[in-house]
Amino acid sequence: MSEEVKDQPDAEPAPLVQPEKAPEPDYYAQLLRLKAEFENYRKRVDREKPEWVKLGRRKSRPSSCPCSICCSTRTRK
């Protein structure tokens, strides 16, 4: 039996199967998307800020307030 093993040509070992690696995340692309989202948010807030201020002024002291005289004198002091 040892002669039979010696007579056979050297068989190549079976290649090792490596598990597929998950693709590496593209951190730079994620960073760019996050930066763009933040810039859009900041611009939207800057556009909406005057509207919120106007709305807040209207709701804080409506013209039909019965104590408008009292409220205006308290804010002046």
Side-chain angles (χ1 to χ4, degrees):
M1 187 166 219
S2 62
E3 291 179 16
E4 290 177 9
V5 174
K6 290 182 182 178
D7 291 338
Q8 292 180 354
D10 292 348
E12 293 182 23
L16 297 176
V17 178
Q18 295 180 357
E20 282 189 38
K21 292 183 180 178
E24 293 184 15
D26 188 8
Y27 293 118
Y28 185 70
Q30 289 178 355
L31 179 68
L32 290 179
R33 278 193 295 273
L34 184 63
K35 180 182 175 187
E37 287 178 19
F38 180 73
E39 288 294 318
N40 291 337
Y41 168 77
R42 188 178 57 80
K43 289 176 185 178
R44 188 183 80 233
V45 168
D46 287 343
R47 269 194 322 265
E48 294 175 352
K49 194 179 291 186
E51 295 172 22
W52 286 106
V53 170
K54 288 178 187 177
L55 184 64
R57 286 181 186 160
R58 277 189 237 145
K59 287 191 174 184
S60 66
R61 191 180 60 161
S63 60
S64 62
C65 179
C67 64
S68 62
I69 296 171
C70 298
C71 293
S72 63
T73 57
R74 287 183 186 165
T75 57
R76 290 183 193 165
K77 291 181 181 180

